[in-house]
Structure formats: structure tokens, C-alpha cells
Amino acid sequence: MPSILGKADINLSSDAAAGFSSVPAGTTQAVLTVESNAIRWASSASSPTAALGTLQFPGDVLQFVGNDYGDFLRNFQIINDTAGANGRVQGVFMNGFDRA
């Protein structure tokens, strides 16, 4: 049975890439919604830029479930697709889903 471990939230206040301030211990999955303005995201050693990264639009839902995405989420970052847009991603951190 899945357990919700905490709120996942990134609010951009500048045009720099940003990630989660913390990811709760035991987190293996997350469901995230792009709340406002287009963003680009990446989860690797290199940060997204306004031109590089996966483009997502308001209302898009990102589901990282079925596997252990803990390290992926700790490295997850977003950036505004358009300068000054102040994008936002919200959702929940979870664990307990069966692996795909």
C-alpha cells in the first residue's frame, strides 16, 4: 500500500534552475503537476536550461512511479522555459507502489 511521505514543491522566483529543498527519507516515487507556466526539467549531473531539458506545460502531470526514483528525485531540477515566468511544480512524495 502506498504511503504519502510529504509535499513536493518547487517555486521558481528567478530564472535559475532549482530543485526540491528536501526529499523525505524513504521516498521512492512522486506524482508532480506543473501548476503554472511552462518549465523544462532534468534529473542528471547537468541542470536544465531555458533551451535544454524536457518541456512541460501547465496541467501536465509527471508520474515517477513503479520503480525506485529516490536518487532521480533528489537530482530533479526545473527552470523557466520563458524568462521571468516563475514556473511552479507541486505534488507528493511517496513510497510503497509495486514495481512495474
Side-chain angles (χ1 to χ4, degrees):
M1 165 103 18
S3 297
I4 294 175
L5 302 176
K7 182 179 177 183
D9 192 18
I10 303 172
N11 290 297
L12 296 174
S13 59
S14 72
D15 292 326
F20 298 114
S21 59
S22 66
V23 176
T27 295
T28 56
Q29 291 105 16
V31 175
L32 309 172
T33 301
V34 179
E35 295 281 328
S36 61
N37 301 312
I39 55 108
R40 291 189 180 267
W41 66 266
S43 182
S44 62
S46 54
S47 296
T49 69
L52 297 172
T54 303
L55 180 62
Q56 303 288 165
F57 297 97
D60 286 354
V61 177
L62 308 171
Q63 297 183 48
F64 302 110
V65 298
N67 286 298
D68 186 344
Y69 289 99
D71 288 339
F72 178 93
L73 293 166
R74 282 183 273 287
N75 293 314
F76 184 86
Q77 293 186 327
I78 67 170
I79 195 166
N80 290 320
D81 180 56
T82 303
N86 294 336
R88 180 178 182 168
V89 171
Q90 283 195 309
V92 293
F93 293 119
M94 301 169 292
N95 71 9
F97 278 100
D98 291 335
R99 296 181 187 270

